[in-house]
Amino acid sequence: MGPEQNIILEGRGVSRYFGALAALSGIDFSLYEGEILGLIGPNGSGKTTLFNVIVGVCRPSEGKVFFEGRDISGMSPHRICQMGIAKTSQIVQPFTRMTVAENVLVGAMYGGGLPQKEAWEKTREILAFVNLDKVMNTPSGKISIPERRRLELARALATSAKVILLDENMAGLNPNEIEEALDLLRAIRERGVTLMVVEHIMRAVMGISDRMIVFNYGEKIAEGTPREVAENPSVIRAYLGDKYA
Amino acid sequence: MLIQAIITGLLLGGIYAVYSAGFSLIFGVMGVVNIAHGDLVMLGAFTSYWLFTLGHIDPFLSIPFSALTLFIVGYGIQRLIINRVVEAPPIMSYICTFGIHLIIANLALRLWTADYRSITTSYCGSHLECAGLVIPYARLATFGMAVVMVGGLYLFLNRTDIGRAIRATAQDREMARLMGVRANHVYAMTFGIGAAITGVAGSLISSYFVIYPQMGLSYTVTAFCVVVLGGMGYIPGALLGGLILGVLESLTATYWNAGMSSALTFFILFLMLIFMPAGITGKGIVE
Amino acid sequence: MIQTPPGRAFTLPRKAVLLAAAVFVTLILVPAFCHQGYALRLMGMIFMGIALASCWNIMSGYTGYIDFGPAAYFGIGAYATALLMVRGGVPFFLSIVLGGVVAVAFAVPVGLPTLRLRGAYFAIATFAFAEATRQAVLEWDRVLGVNFFQGSHGITLPIGPTHQFFYYTFLVIMTVLFVITYLVERSRMGYALKAIHEAEDAAELIGVNTLKIKIYAYAISAFFTAVIGGVDAYWLTYITPNDVFSVHITIKMVIMCLLGGMGTLLGPVVGASFLTLISEPLWARFPYDYLIIIGVIIVLVIVAMPKGIVGTLLEWKVDSRGT
């Protein structure tokens, strides 16, 4: 089940500066339909910035992002979401005083563009899929951390996204929970959703990604299969320092 | 006439800067938009007024008294009331300070009637004349005091232990608490210091402006403008914002119409918020 | 928060509908049996308070954006109605609707930039807008040398009809706003408003055009605030900028809503009734200490009951059920 060769999301020369600081410089990337692409790199290497540029939270200073061949750079986040790209955040932001189901409903109605009745059906289907149906009527501020992580995914899925960007969706989970989370990601891929994953838990991201891109200081330093990346000297240098290279 | 208008504006702006610095401090540290701020100006002004009327103490000499009085008032307000809502959504503190405004302004009205009052000192008519410009001594002295006060507050925040504790708490309440800072005490100190410097402004104002119990709200509004101009929560910005606003108001009043000057003030405030929310200095807190 | 079972979002408990209908019919019949001018006037004022608080609730209660400038729209509505009636001879009901339209014409361009601001900045910007409008109306004639708004001299409207007329007018407006709030709360828009309140960036990321939703809420709020301003101008028969653009109108709206409970359907009803009913006797008994007492009540409510009356009751209910 290797990746098909259909490019769904593409970045050309994407740069983003904050004042004099280059958070991203001249990144090219391609995301193939149906694959799981892992992004790794030390803290502050530009992964989260790249996600923010893709979903429109910040504009690229230079370069362009194309989704299904259309230039989406500079569009507003809600527009990009409606087109089919969703993102889960590193810091979960549930609508705490709304129930779990209502959280997902907002995604289905607005991101997915469904009328309220169909949106409820979709919501129930997705809550069952991510195994949150038992807490659907609980206020989302009162559910556990793994449940909150799954709620973030559920909201993204409810928007009928074709591409989902996951920003450290496994942070704070124990090894068992990580295994469950990985199974869920595989199941999401089975639904035909393409995934781009930023993760610090190396074993997890290595195990699930078809391909990986490695960032350091806002630049792409390596790209390839997990094995190729793991053996790449510049990657080892970035992670472990010069003497190991 | 132009230079005269600018000088008048600068002298006025100095006063704006002092009480706006207090407003800015309170907002910067606690995120509280203190609607009762102008009432603290009023209390400072009346402290000086009564000390002058009953005790024949010159308003410049009564400054320490009004600073102390207002420090106590401010500390008490924060400790007893605002500390309870500081963690709540911001609307709570806005409305709470509005309630405090109603209480202070109307108590003052009951105690001192709605009369307009002013202090007539022996030197109030004397002024400096040079090159055809008229500069009243009292205003010049006030301006000097104003600059010293804002500078002093800035140094206080940067050079003293309590000042550092205040800034640390402003940046990260949880972290400050872990480092042993008592946030409730620091907040009360902050409000107390903000109120004290505002009381000083009140004393300065009493030396040449008409004062009355209901004067507060318009001073609060000016403080909004000054602080937004200079950058919310950035103390030196209050000085810059105060001077700019003073000059602008003075120029519109001279060349156009005094009523229009406040409409213009609001218009500028509105535009600033939209286009430069961090103020002219760009150092204000932006949410 | 009342839970809606999925898929049944459009149905309302039968009892609640019957109760609401019964209250409405009773209120329609009251003037037939009660001829006391004072009682009708007081009821009319309560209805106006509820309507005003509902306007503020639709915008600020649900989104958490604190609008400190609704007095601008109240004043715009009052002046538009007064000028249309006096200068243009336009009938009253058409005038108030046109007043609402004028308010929307202001609200959209004002809302577009200001609704991008967050927190205290939005509050101060809207406040500045309201004060700027008041000053502009006050100084317009003098600065431009015309005779239009008549500055602080104010405008006198045609003598209005009886208290009964205003009782019914405000009853209708209040009911319309109540129904709109109910519908908004259950609609797509209601969910979006609440999502904006809780986590605006997250809402934007899952496809909510947050700016558009906020503009809608702001414009609806401005429209009805202006309509109410127009009716009140006719009731007062004499208006000046300092009355109808007063910051006290804003504050009253905020406090009524906060007392009752922000972002709840019944909050404005409870808060406005409570505030109007305690204000009247207090005002009559202690004319000089009245505002001090109101100040103390505000502070006490904020400190002791930050969720408002309805919010606190709902919380008790939820806690007693156990979640």
Side-chain angles (χ1 to χ4, degrees):
Chain A
M1 55 177 260
E4 294 164 33
Q5 291 305 298
N6 230 351
I7 293 178
I8 187 163
L9 183 69
E10 188 182 13
R12 288 187 206 145
V14 178
S15 298
R16 170 73 206 192
Y17 307 109
F18 293 107
L21 177 83
L24 281 179
S25 38
I27 301 292
D28 295 309
F29 71 90
S30 303
L31 180 69
Y32 297 99
E33 205 171 335
E35 74 170 339
I36 296 181
L37 176 64
L39 305 186
I40 60 168
N43 276 327
S45 59
K47 304 166 310 244
T48 297
T49 309
L50 180 64
F51 272 13
N52 283 339
V53 167
I54 295 172
V55 298
V57 169
C58 54
R59 280 166 182 277
S61 308
E62 285 158 20
K64 289 203 159 116
V65 181
F66 297 88
F67 176 61
E68 296 182 323
R70 279 179 68 187
D71 182 2
I72 58 165
S73 17
M75 282 187 185
S76 55
H78 69 265
R79 185 79 199 86
I80 290 175
C81 172
Q82 287 162 3
M83 290 176 70
I85 307 177
K87 181 180 92 112
T88 69
S89 297
Q90 206 171 347
I91 300 154
V92 290
Q93 288 184 308
F95 310 128
T96 43
R97 290 191 303 174
M98 292 162 79
T99 64
V100 168
E102 286 171 332
N103 267 265
V104 179
L105 181 75
V106 174
M109 285 193 298
Y110 283 90
L114 295 175
Q116 206 166 335
K117 205 156 163 252
E118 282 82 351
W120 273 115
E121 280 159 23
K122 174 119 190 165
T123 298
R124 262 176 301 189
E125 185 263 313
I126 284 172
L127 286 175
F129 176 73
V130 301
N131 193 19
L132 281 176
D133 41 353
K134 284 169 213 74
V135 291
M136 69 184 291
N137 287 325
T138 309
S140 61
K142 294 187 174 166
I143 57 177
S144 68
I145 300 223
E147 284 170 340
R148 283 180 202 209
R149 294 280 173 204
R150 294 210 296 279
L151 176 58
E152 282 276 315
L153 271 173
R155 284 201 307 206
L157 284 169
T159 67
S160 304
K162 295 172 194 155
V163 174
I164 297 181
L165 315 181
L166 294 126
D167 195 356
E168 295 198 37
N169 194 252
M170 290 171 222
L173 302 189
N174 69 34
N176 278 336
E177 290 160 354
I178 289 174
E179 280 311 316
E180 285 169 23
L182 289 174
D183 287 340
L184 183 57
L185 293 194
R186 291 191 189 98
I188 289 172
R189 189 241 291 266
E190 292 304 314
R191 290 170 70 105
V193 177
T194 310
L195 295 173
M196 219 166 154
V197 182
V198 163
E199 198 54 67
H200 273 297
I201 303 160
M202 205 53 69
R203 207 174 51 80
V205 73
M206 288 276 183
I208 198 166
S209 301
D210 299 308
R211 284 191 313 126
M212 296 179 76
I213 296 180
V214 188
F215 284 82
N216 199 16
Y217 296 112
E219 287 174 28
K220 183 166 90 176
I221 58 169
E223 185 172 3
T225 63
R227 160 165 288 212
E228 287 162 8
V229 161
E231 289 165 357
N232 185 316
S234 52
V235 175
I236 297 167
R237 200 177 302 125
Y239 268 90
L240 301 172
D242 285 325
K243 62 183 171 186
Y244 292 94
Chain B
M1 194 155 106
L2 175 68
I3 296 170
Q4 177 72 54
I6 291 175
I7 289 176
T8 312
L10 286 175
L11 296 178
L12 181 68
I15 296 283
Y16 288 173
V18 181
Y19 64 81
S20 304
F23 183 86
S24 188
L25 176 68
I26 292 168
F27 177 82
V29 175
M30 296 172 283
V32 171
V33 174
N34 180 21
I35 295 174
H37 204 73
D39 301 292
L40 303 177
V41 176
M42 183 270 296
L43 288 180
F46 269 88
T47 307
S48 285
Y49 173 83
W50 289 116
L51 285 171
F52 179 80
T53 312
L54 304 176
H56 305 288
I57 298 169
D58 186 274
F60 283 95
L61 296 179
S62 63
I63 284 176
F65 294 100
S66 56
L68 184 66
T69 314
L70 267 294
F71 177 81
I72 295 167
V73 171
Y75 191 94
I77 288 177
Q78 180 71 32
R79 201 76 210 222
L80 296 175
I81 303 170
I82 302 177
N83 266 345
R84 295 172 201 274
V85 295
V86 103
E87 305 269 293
I91 172 82
M92 295 299 167
S93 64
Y94 309 165
I95 303 298
C96 201
T97 57
F98 180 77
I100 295 167
H101 151 73
L102 283 181
I103 297 171
I104 298 179
N106 290 290
L107 268 178
L109 189 65
R110 285 292 269 156
L111 289 173
W112 303 321
T113 73
D115 291 352
Y116 289 76
R117 298 159 192 269
S118 60
I119 292 177
T120 316
T121 51
S122 55
Y123 50 81
C124 74
S126 56
H127 52 255
L128 182 74
E129 273 194 63
C130 89
L133 300 172
V134 180
I135 304 169
Y137 286 122
R139 287 201 160 199
L140 201 58
T142 325
F143 179 77
M145 275 300 295
V147 176
V148 169
M149 292 307 300
V150 179
L153 179 62
Y154 183 69
L155 289 179
F156 172 81
L157 288 175
N158 283 287
R159 297 284 160 82
T160 65
D161 285 342
I162 178 77
R164 288 194 196 100
I166 287 175
R167 288 190 305 133
T169 313
Q171 270 160 22
D172 189 338
R173 183 177 181 161
E174 275 314 304
M175 189 53 83
R177 183 147 48 197
L178 289 176
M179 310 287 282
V181 175
R182 287 180 298 149
N184 278 345
H185 173 68
V186 169
Y187 280 177
M189 285 297 288
T190 309
F191 205 104
I193 291 162
I197 192 171
T198 307
V200 172
S203 293
L204 297 175
I205 283 166
S206 75
S207 69
Y208 62 84
F209 277 114
V210 171
I211 62 169
Y212 50 100
Q214 304 288 58
M215 66 195 256
L217 211 50
S218 65
Y219 282 85
T220 303
V221 166
T222 318
F224 280 178
C225 296
V226 168
V227 165
V228 168
L229 273 171
M232 293 268 256
Y234 177 62
I235 302 296
L239 188 58
L240 187 67
L243 297 181
I244 293 172
L245 188 69
V247 171
L248 275 174
E249 284 193 349
S250 168
L251 287 176
T252 15
T254 310
Y255 290 100
W256 200 2
N257 161 323
M260 237 29 223
S261 91
S262 53
L264 186 77
T265 307
F266 289 114
F267 191 61
I268 292 170
L269 171 59
F270 187 69
L271 293 182
M272 280 299 296
L273 280 166
I274 291 163
F275 296 108
M276 296 174 80
I280 294 177
T281 57
K283 290 189 179 169
I285 303 165
V286 182
E287 283 161 76
Chain C
M1 203 158 294
I2 296 157
Q3 313 260 325
T4 321
R8 286 181 48 217
F10 303 101
T11 53
L12 180 67
R14 186 116 166 253
K15 271 188 207 158
V17 176
L18 287 176
L19 183 67
V23 170
F24 185 66
V25 171
T26 313
L27 290 176
I28 289 177
L29 293 177
V30 163
F33 300 103
C34 168
H35 301 285
Q36 269 183 294
Y38 173 76
L40 287 184
R41 193 184 67 89
L42 184 62
M43 294 286 281
M45 283 177 57
I46 293 175
F47 297 161
M48 178 167 100
I50 294 172
L52 279 174
S54 302
C55 289
W56 197 79
N57 192 37
I58 287 175
M59 169 63 208
S60 299
Y62 285 99
T63 63
Y65 272 73
I66 304 309
D67 181 1
F68 262 170
Y73 300 111
F74 189 90
I76 286 169
Y79 265 84
T81 302
L83 290 169
L84 284 166
M85 286 177 75
V86 174
R87 299 273 158 76
V90 180
F92 169 68
F93 286 108
L94 184 57
S95 301
I96 56 174
V97 174
L98 289 175
V101 173
V102 174
V104 172
F106 274 90
V108 174
V110 167
L112 271 171
T114 46
L115 286 166
R116 292 169 201 270
L117 301 168
R118 302 261 173 111
Y121 291 80
F122 177 76
I124 295 177
T126 47
F127 177 78
F129 167 66
E131 282 296 301
T133 6
R134 181 177 68 85
Q135 288 287 341
V137 173
L138 202 55
E139 301 295 331
W140 190 271
D141 290 9
R142 194 154 39 146
V143 171
L144 297 179
V146 294
N147 186 17
F148 190 65
F149 292 118
Q150 301 175 8
S152 58
H153 295 300
I155 297 181
T156 307
L157 286 87
I159 296 294
T162 57
H163 289 313
Q164 194 174 325
F165 173 84
F166 293 104
Y167 175 97
Y168 281 120
T169 312
F170 278 128
L171 177 60
V172 169
I173 296 174
M174 173 190 85
T175 310
V176 167
L177 275 162
F178 188 79
V179 172
I180 288 181
T181 310
Y182 174 78
L183 292 176
V184 164
E185 187 164 279
R186 300 303 170 96
S187 69
R188 295 165 67 86
M189 182 172 163
Y191 286 109
L193 290 173
K194 284 184 230 166
I196 288 170
H197 193 169
E198 302 289 323
E200 184 167 354
D201 298 327
E204 179 80 24
L205 275 176
I206 56 171
V208 181
N209 187 344
T210 51
L211 186 63
K212 192 170 97 183
I213 297 281
K214 287 184 285 181
I215 295 268
Y216 282 164
Y218 189 63
I220 293 173
S221 175
F223 177 86
F224 283 102
T225 309
V227 168
I228 298 163
V231 180
D232 196 40
Y234 196 31
W235 202 2
L236 292 167
T237 67
Y238 171 67
I239 57 168
T240 68
N242 288 335
D243 296 331
V244 294
F245 286 95
S246 164
V247 66
H248 289 280
I249 289 170
T250 299
I251 295 294
K252 215 165 110 181
M253 292 168 76
V254 177
I255 289 170
M256 288 188 299
C257 197
L258 200 72
L259 273 176
M262 284 171 66
T264 58
L265 180 61
L266 285 174
V269 178
V270 174
S273 309
F274 178 77
L275 191 72
T276 317
L277 285 176
I278 61 161
S279 292
E280 280 292 311
L282 278 178
W283 173 245
R285 285 281 290 283
F286 311 100
Y288 301 105
D289 298 316
Y290 163 72
L291 285 173
I292 303 175
I293 300 171
I294 293 289
V296 172
I297 292 175
I298 291 171
V299 171
L300 286 180
V301 167
I302 298 269
V303 171
M305 248 186 349
K307 298 218 151 78
I309 300 169
V310 173
T312 309
L313 290 177
L314 278 178
E315 209 157 70
W316 280 350
K317 203 174 145 194
V318 170
D319 284 350
S320 63
R321 264 197 319 208
T323 36

